[in-house]
């Protein structure tokens, strides 16, 4: 339940919209949904109160979106579409903005076959890489960017904080999901 500035309350179950349209790489959707919910809380304690979309698709979809929104005519692993691009790093929209514009923070779109090829090439398991790019996308939804080295390093440190906490909380060995581990 969130309270609008008018004092009225409204019911809205903030949700994770997980859409899977790729069919070439097997994904355990219930497990992934649970993992994403955990990551949301670790990225920002209030992120669970916002709608977030995650679309697992294929190269053709990412190529089309990458071309349309970035002018790059090739597939990529992940694109993020924040609905509040004016946010500073780690910020959530104000309640006034939420009431005016809604509770949808944005979407993360991932080409699972692209990730699978990256992982095969570098000898990585898909799951840690998938969790890494989802975490990366969530940070974009709350205002983080990596236009310069300083911003990239700050975002990377936040991603590693979340992933270390996630793996520790689940009692499993930490995997950063990168092709080579950064020195932190």
């Amino acid at each position: 339940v969130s309270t609008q500035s008018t004092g009225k309350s409204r019911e809205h179950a903030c949700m994770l919209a997980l859409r899977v349209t790729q069919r070439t790489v097997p994904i355990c959707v219930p497990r992934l949904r649970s993992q994403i919910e955990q990551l949301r809380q670790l990225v920002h304690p209030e992120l669970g109160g916002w709608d977030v979309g995650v679309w697992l698709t294929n190269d053709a979809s990412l190529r089309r979106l990458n071309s349309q929104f970035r002018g790059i005519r090739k597939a990529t692993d992940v694109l993020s579409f924040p609905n509040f691009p004016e946010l500073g790093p780690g910020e959530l929209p104000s309640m006034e903005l939420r009431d005016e514009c809604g509770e949808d923070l944005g979407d993360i779109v991932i080409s699972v076959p692209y990730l699978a090829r990256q992982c095969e090439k570098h000898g990585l398991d898909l799951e840690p890489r998938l969790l890494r790019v989802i975490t990366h996308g969530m940070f974009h939804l709350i205002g983080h960017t990596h236009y310069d080295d300083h911003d990239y390093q700050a975002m990377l440190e936040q991603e590693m904080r979340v992933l270390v906490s996630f793996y520790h909380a689940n009692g499993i060995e930490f995997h950063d999901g990168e092709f080579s581990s950064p020195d932190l």
Side-chain angles (χ1 to χ4, degrees):
V1 179
S2 64
T3 303
Q4 296 180 355
S5 57
T6 61
K8 298 178 184 176
S9 65
R10 63 186 158 160
E11 293 288 327
H12 178 79
C14 292
M15 62 183 246
L16 166 67
L18 179 57
R19 179 178 174 207
V20 181
T21 58
Q22 68 85 34
R23 301 287 180 238
T24 57
V25 179
I27 298 288
C28 180
V29 174
R31 175 182 167 93
L32 182 60
R33 178 179 299 281
S34 174
Q35 291 170 326
I36 295 171
E37 290 293 359
Q38 289 177 50
L39 290 169
R40 277 196 335 168
Q41 291 303 313
L42 293 168
V43 166
H44 193 292
E46 297 175 27
L47 194 56
W50 291 84
D51 294 340
V52 172
V54 177
W55 179 22
L56 304 180
T57 188
N58 57 32
D59 288 353
S61 295
L62 265 287
R63 185 179 310 109
R64 187 181 84 258
L65 291 169
N66 208 15
S67 178
Q68 180 179 352
F69 291 99
R70 297 178 64 220
I72 300 171
R73 299 186 191 287
K74 64 179 186 175
T76 188
D77 52 359
V78 59
L79 292 172
S80 298
F81 297 95
N83 286 337
F84 300 93
E86 68 283 353
L87 296 176
E91 291 182 354
L92 289 174
S94 67
M95 289 307 291
E96 293 80 20
L97 192 55
R98 179 181 181 146
D99 289 340
E100 180 182 327
C101 299
E103 298 162 331
D104 184 2
L105 268 183
D107 299 298
I108 303 163
V109 185
I110 299 166
S111 172
V112 177
Y114 191 100
L115 285 181
R117 287 191 309 276
Q118 284 180 324
C119 290
E120 185 176 325
K121 178 179 176 182
H122 295 282
L124 291 175
D125 291 331
L126 178 63
E127 184 176 277
R129 183 68 184 154
L130 182 57
L131 296 175
R132 172 69 185 274
V133 298
I134 289 170
T135 301
H136 183 83
M138 283 190 216
F139 275 106
H140 277 303
L141 297 185
I142 61 168
H144 285 270
T145 63
H146 44 80
Y147 297 124
D148 61 39
D149 289 341
H150 179 267
D151 289 346
Y152 174 81
Q153 191 61 37
M155 189 172 176
L156 179 63
E157 288 173 7
Q158 290 298 313
E159 290 173 15
M160 291 301 105
R161 174 193 57 80
V162 165
L163 291 168
V164 165
S165 296
F166 172 82
Y167 284 105
H168 178 74
N170 287 285
I172 50 182
E173 183 182 347
F174 171 68
H175 294 279
D176 68 6
E178 236 347 281
F179 304 127
S180 60
S181 296
D183 295 333
L184 292 177

